[in-house]
């Protein structure tokens, strides 16, 4: 039988994993990762008669709208 190895990397490894998840969550929020889900929820709650676009259609329309109205961005 092998002797039990002490878990010396458990604490720091958990910290790195937690930091990685926090960074991923932050980037997801900044880049708009939940925007489509929020939009679908808004449509279903406030406009149940409207068809729900696919995610691809949603992003295409969103980018087209940004191109039509460039005043809302920095560049």
């Amino acid at each position: 039988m092998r002797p039990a190895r002490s878990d010396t990397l458990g604490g720091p490894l958990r910290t790195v994993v937690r930091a990685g998840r926090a960074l991923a969550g932050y980037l997801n929020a900044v880049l708009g990762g939940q925007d489509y889900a929020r939009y679908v929820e808004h449509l279903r709650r406030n406009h149940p008669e409207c068809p729900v676009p696919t995610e691809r259609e949603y992003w295409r329309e969103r980018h087209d709208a940004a191109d039509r109205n460039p005043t809302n961005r920095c560049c």
Side-chain angles (χ1 to χ4, degrees):
M1 250 190 183
R2 296 173 115 167
R5 190 184 109 185
S6 65
D7 194 17
T8 57
L9 292 178
L13 184 59
R14 265 192 294 271
T15 302
V16 169
V17 169
R18 195 174 308 133
R21 286 183 180 154
L23 178 61
Y26 171 76
L27 289 175
N28 190 31
V30 168
L31 297 175
Q34 297 298 316
D35 290 356
Y36 175 71
R38 275 194 297 259
Y39 179 69
V40 169
E41 178 63 29
H42 165 80
L43 277 180
R44 288 187 176 149
R45 189 178 336 108
N46 299 312
H47 310 283
E49 71 284 353
C50 293
V52 176
T54 65
E55 189 169 1
R56 184 179 196 144
E57 292 168 338
Y58 167 78
W59 286 109
R60 183 177 295 137
E61 174 54 33
R62 184 169 167 170
H63 289 294
D64 289 346
D67 288 342
R68 287 190 305 271
N69 186 13
T71 59
N72 291 335
R73 58 182 189 216
C74 66
C75 305

